[in-house]
């Protein structure tokens, strides 16, 4: 998608297929709507008295207004003016782009970025606008037999009409948002692809493709032999149940050293992102019920978010040092699969009694967390569709955030709020560690039904003692089930906002 800017002064002269102007509840016109109203001899004022009252989420299309060069003016409802928020703004931009997509337009122009919003500077509004347009133009056809050409969005360009002095900030925000949208696009498609196509091998190839496309990205894809040589006994125990070969993917984005800034807290190490890459989670011998088991193809959404973030990072050429680690395999039942009661030895040397083979995410992540030590990281954030218990606790609104490091936790929570991709902090008290006691190993891989999301995080914490660490449980936020089934690309916006905030 291409973005550009135009001056609001001559709004009525903007030649475009569709021009979006905002209207608040009770027909209160925004400045841009007022300009169009004057140019068209009061065409808007008449309409907002009756059929269009500015209800949030509603749109009304007016064609061929006198005195207005745009072919269509799209009125976009912004709801009550005193309730206007970043979320409403982002939704309005998305609704406008969705209208353009539905009408099969190739380009449009929007004035919505210039609607003032206290606490959300214009650069952030532009970023959200680009992400909204990206959401509206997303299209999946990777596994369709005969892709429908008409279903493919044609919208290529959105012009943002702003005041001249804002151009630099808006262009920066659009560039950031555009890159985040592209990262989300990759994450979403990987999530949506079926498990027989999006295999560990495919994720490895996707990482290598990123390295070929961007010279700041270097990638290593380790195969089973190399993973064995590292001693990743917990990860390999999960992979063993499947005929699909595992991969351990190591990505590095190194921004230009000259431009690279030292981390604010003085710690010079890289930021490490670790993504759970279970390309299908059947549960293994502790097999899951059949209903909605298909959704366990989404169990690699943590990995997808890391790859998506890397695409955005590389496109923006951020002057940061970032490592991505992706342990990826299937969790399947077979004659070679883990059995309840088995004891495996992790790369750290700690042994684990596997009481439930369906608690596999922590088994692959713990070895990746040990591997992360070699980078002497400034911070490690793991991202995983880890527990059904987190869905029970937080639903699909917030990702679960677990960390003993207040500064890191606050930075991630803030990034979530700024990017409208929110997380909620969960407890990680040592008292919960009790539940992981085993009679036959250093720990069990489950802690029983109480506080299941917390004991999963407690398990991981035992492998993350060498650096500041946070865990994001995205089981409830990474995809939607039911009629709207599909990946959300969360938490790519949160991760990218966190990285942008380092600069
Ligand atoms: N991938 C699942 C977690 C999950 C389940 C995410 C449902 C979204 C929806 C994970 O590997 C898993 O199976 N966790 C178990 C852990 C339990 C056995 C302690 C769970 O949550 O049931
Ligand atoms: Mn599982
Ligand atoms: Zn899983």
């Amino acid at each position: 998608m291409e973005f550009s800017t135009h001056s609001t002064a001559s709004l009525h002269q903007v030649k475009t297929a569709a021009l979006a102007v905002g209207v608040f509840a009770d027909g209160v016109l925004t400045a841009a709507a007022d300009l169009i109203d004057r140019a068209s001899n009061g065409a808007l004022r008449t309409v907002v008295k009756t059929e269009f009252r500015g209800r949030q989420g509603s749109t009304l299309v007016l064609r061929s207004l006198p005195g207005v060069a745009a072919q269509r003016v799209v009125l976009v409802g912004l709801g009550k003016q005193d309730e206007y928020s970043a979320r409403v703004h982002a939704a309005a931009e998305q609704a406008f782009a969705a209208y353009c997509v539905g009408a099969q337009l190739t380009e449009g122009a929007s004035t919505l970025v210039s609607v003032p919003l206290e606490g959300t500077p214009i650069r952030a509004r532009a970023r959200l606008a680009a992400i909204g347009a990206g959401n509206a133009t997303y299209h999946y056809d990777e596994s369709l037999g005969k892709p429908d050409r008409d279903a493919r969005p044609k919208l290529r360009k959105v012009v943002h009409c702003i005041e001249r002095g804002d151009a630099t900030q808006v262009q920066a925000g659009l560039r950031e948002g555009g890159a985040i949208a592209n990262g989300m696009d990759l994450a979403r498609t990987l999530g949506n692809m079926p498990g027989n196509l999006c295999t560990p091998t495919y994720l490895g190839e996707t990482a290598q493709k990123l390295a070929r496309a961007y010279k700041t990205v270097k990638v290593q894809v380790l195969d089973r032999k190399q993973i064995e040589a590292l001693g990743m006994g917990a990860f390999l125990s999960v992979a063993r149940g499947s005929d699909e070969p595992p991969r351990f993917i190591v990505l590095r984005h190194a921004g230009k050293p000259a431009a690279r800034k030292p981390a604010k807290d003085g710690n010079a190490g890289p930021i490490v992102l670790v993504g759970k890459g279970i390309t299908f989670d059947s549960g293994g011998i502790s097999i899951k019920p059949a209903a909605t088991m298909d959704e366990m193809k989404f169990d690699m959404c943590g990995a997808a978010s890391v790859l998506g973030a890397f695409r955005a990072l590389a496109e923006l050429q951020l002057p940061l040092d970032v490592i991505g680690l992706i342990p990826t395999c299937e969790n399947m039942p077979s004659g070679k699969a883990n059995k309840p009661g088995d004891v495996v030895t992790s790369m750290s040397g700690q042994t684990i009694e596997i009481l439930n083979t369906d608690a596999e995410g922590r088994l692959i992540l713990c070895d990746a967390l040990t591997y992360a030590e070699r980078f002497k990281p400034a911070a490690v954030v793991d991202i995983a569709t880890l527990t059904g218990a987190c869905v029970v606790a937080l639903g699909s609104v917030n990702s679960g955030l677990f960390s003993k490091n207040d500064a890191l936790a606050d930075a991630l929570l803030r990034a979530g709020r700024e990017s409208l991709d929110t997380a909620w902090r969960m407890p990680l008290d040592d008292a919960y560690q009790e539940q992981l006691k085993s009679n036959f190993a250093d720990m069990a891989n489950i802690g029983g039904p109480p506080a299941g999301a917390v004991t999963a995080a407690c398990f991981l914490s035992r492998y993350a003692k060498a650096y500041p660490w946070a865990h994001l449980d995205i089981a409830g936020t990474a995809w939607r089930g039911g009629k709207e089934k599909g990946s959300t690309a969360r938490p790519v916006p949160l991760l990218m906002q966190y990285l942008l905030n380092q600069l």
Side-chain angles (χ1 to χ4, degrees):
M1 179 90 84
E2 189 191 328
F3 297 106
S4 59
T5 55
H6 192 282
S7 161
T8 32
S10 51
L11 211 50
H12 63 291
Q13 289 169 344
V14 176
K15 286 204 178 77
T16 180
L19 175 70
V21 298
V23 178
F24 288 113
D26 304 321
V28 177
L29 301 183
T30 56
D34 191 56
L35 275 172
I36 291 299
D37 181 63
R38 283 161 200 257
S40 63
N41 255 322
L44 265 51
R45 231 160 268 277
T46 325
V47 170
V48 299
K49 271 190 201 131
T50 52
E51 61 252 59
F52 191 80
R53 303 288 290 153
R55 191 169 45 80
Q56 194 208 310
S58 61
T59 52
L60 181 76
V61 182
L62 305 171
R63 286 165 177 273
S64 319
L65 288 186
V68 176
Q71 287 166 29
R72 307 166 183 77
V73 170
V74 181
L75 305 183
V76 183
L78 302 179
K80 289 204 180 98
Q81 190 159 10
D82 56 357
E83 288 171 14
Y84 192 54
S85 65
R87 212 172 264 286
V88 176
H89 160 65
E93 295 278 13
Q94 185 166 330
F96 172 60
Y99 164 76
C100 294
V101 169
Q104 302 219 30
L105 305 181
T106 57
E107 51 97 30
S110 170
T111 62
L112 300 174
V113 156
S114 48
V115 178
L117 178 55
E118 211 187 316
T120 309
I122 198 157
R123 179 170 178 160
R125 299 200 305 264
R127 203 183 291 139
L128 293 170
I131 295 172
N135 286 338
T137 50
Y138 178 77
H139 180 69
Y140 178 86
D141 56 18
E142 264 65 20
S143 48
L144 296 180
K146 46 170 180 57
D148 178 356
R149 293 200 139 272
D150 286 342
R152 226 175 259 171
K154 296 183 175 56
L155 184 64
R156 291 281 165 273
K157 186 176 170 187
V158 178
V159 180
H160 289 272
C161 304
I162 53 167
E163 274 169 45
R164 220 179 280 283
D166 291 331
T168 317
Q169 286 300 306
V170 170
Q171 278 153 11
L174 291 171
R175 179 168 173 270
E176 290 160 355
I180 295 169
N182 287 340
M184 290 171 73
D185 204 281
L186 174 62
R188 201 177 309 225
T189 295
L190 291 171
N192 287 338
M193 282 175 73
N196 61 326
L197 299 181
C198 183
T199 59
T201 306
Y202 184 82
L203 288 180
E205 288 166 0
T206 303
Q208 276 157 341
K209 233 161 106 187
L210 283 176
R212 279 198 296 277
Y214 302 99
K215 59 179 186 302
T216 56
V217 178
K218 301 273 179 287
V219 167
Q220 252 180 302
V221 179
L222 309 186
D223 62 14
R224 192 189 303 264
K225 273 215 175 96
Q226 294 166 297
I227 302 167
E228 274 167 9
L230 285 167
M232 294 185 165
F235 174 25
L236 284 166
S237 79
V238 177
R240 216 173 37 230
S242 169
D243 289 342
E244 206 59 68
R247 293 286 184 261
F248 188 78
I249 305 169
V250 183
L251 302 108
R252 179 168 210 145
H253 162 86
K256 268 203 206 99
R260 216 181 299 159
K261 295 193 184 150
K264 277 184 188 154
D265 55 7
N267 189 334
I271 291 170
V272 180
L273 305 177
V274 182
K276 172 179 173 182
I278 295 289
T279 57
F280 187 71
D281 181 10
S282 70
I285 297 298
S286 314
I287 199 161
K288 288 180 181 293
T292 72
M293 202 207 270
D294 67 290
E295 292 183 18
M296 284 298 122
K297 73 171 183 179
F298 293 113
D299 211 16
M300 36 55 70
C301 283
S305 74
V306 173
L307 291 167
F310 264 77
R311 179 175 177 184
L313 260 176
E315 195 176 312
L316 291 173
Q317 292 291 302
L318 288 193
L320 292 170
D321 199 0
V322 185
I323 305 281
L325 300 178
I326 297 175
T328 171
C329 67
E330 281 184 340
N331 185 24
M332 295 290 277
S334 86
K336 290 187 196 152
N338 277 330
K339 305 177 294 298
D342 283 1
V343 174
V344 299
T345 304
S346 65
M347 184 180 178
S348 71
Q350 300 177 91
T351 62
I352 305 159
E353 185 186 15
I354 299 173
L355 292 176
N356 189 317
T357 66
D358 198 8
E360 86 297 339
R362 59 199 83 180
L363 295 174
I364 74 168
L365 288 167
C366 70
D367 283 340
L369 290 172
T370 300
Y371 186 89
E373 288 179 10
R374 68 187 58 201
F375 301 106
K376 303 199 179 351
V380 176
V381 181
D382 79 70
I383 307 106
T385 48
L386 203 62
T387 65
C390 193
V391 190
V392 174
L394 299 175
S396 60
V397 176
N398 286 297
S399 300
L401 170 68
F402 302 79
S403 182
K404 286 226 169 165
N405 187 309
D406 289 340
L408 179 57
D410 288 343
L412 290 164
L413 291 172
R414 186 181 134 213
R417 284 192 299 271
E418 288 170 346
S419 60
L420 307 179
D421 181 7
T422 52
W424 192 263
R425 190 157 177 193
M426 299 278 283
L428 199 59
D429 310 44
D430 290 334
Y432 292 101
Q433 296 278 358
E434 293 279 311
Q435 290 173 237
L436 294 174
K437 274 202 176 134
S438 160
N439 291 345
F440 307 109
D442 297 334
M443 71 198 80
N445 79 325
I446 58 168
V454 184
T455 53
C458 283
F459 180 98
L460 295 178
S461 74
R462 296 175 179 223
Y463 298 84
K465 296 201 160 135
Y467 41 68
W469 164 76
H471 158 60
L472 282 167
D473 193 332
I474 58 167
T477 52
W479 78 88
R480 273 184 286 268
K483 211 167 149 271
E484 300 277 278
K485 195 190 296 178
S487 163
T488 61
R490 289 177 69 179
V492 172
L494 180 156
L495 295 174
M496 283 309 299
Q497 190 64 48
Y498 168 68
L499 293 172
L500 285 169
N501 289 351
Q502 304 301 310
L503 301 175

